[in-house]
Amino acid sequence: MVRHQEPVSARQSGPGPVRTCVGCRVRAVDAELLRVVLVDGAVVPDPRRRMPGRGAWVHPEPGCLAKAEKRRAFPRAFKVGGALDVAGLRSEIERVAGGVGTGILPPRGGTEEAGRPVMSQP
């Protein structure tokens, strides 16, 4: 049986790109995940998603970070050998997990995006 697929341009766009958390391996919309990058051997958060280089995605929860460390997922995701420093990322995720409404994820939609007003068409 041959399945007919619509061209990519004809498909309706969803809520956004889907990424996989390197910790729990669950696929989620990118707005639910935190992008992290490798800077001088340290894994650092990239909440604005603008830093150069290969990125990896993780839920901003201590449990997912612990799973990623246990699975040695960050060296694989960044395609480097050896252990990586995640202390800065861990402290940031724990700080955010302790406070409500102080997320490190960028706001989606609304009146501002990336620090500048968003223009909308009527």
Side-chain angles (χ1 to χ4, degrees):
M1 172 156 79
V2 177
R3 289 188 176 179
H4 176 65
Q5 286 188 341
E6 300 174 11
V8 174
S9 60
R11 295 182 192 158
Q12 291 182 351
S13 61
V18 175
R19 304 286 185 247
T20 302
C21 173
V22 296
C24 65
R25 304 294 301 156
V26 171
R27 293 170 49 93
V29 177
D30 69 341
E32 297 175 14
L33 299 169
L34 173 66
R35 182 176 189 261
V36 295
V37 294
L38 187 62
V39 177
D40 297 328
V43 180
V44 297
D46 180 18
R48 293 184 61 206
R49 302 171 184 165
R50 299 288 187 265
M51 294 177 77
R54 177 177 290 275
W57 298 82
V58 65
H59 284 106
E61 301 169 2
C64 282
L65 178 60
K67 287 178 186 177
E69 288 180 277
K70 182 178 179 183
R71 297 179 54 244
R72 292 182 285 244
F74 289 120
R76 258 194 322 276
F78 295 121
K79 297 185 178 184
V80 296
L84 299 174
D85 179 21
V86 296
L89 177 62
R90 182 183 303 110
S91 65
E92 183 68 15
I93 287 177
E94 288 173 353
R95 180 186 67 81
V96 171
V100 177
T102 59
I104 54 180
L105 294 177
R108 298 294 276 191
T111 59
E112 287 193 11
E113 183 177 294
R116 42 185 201 278
V118 175
M119 303 300 289
S120 63
Q121 297 291 324

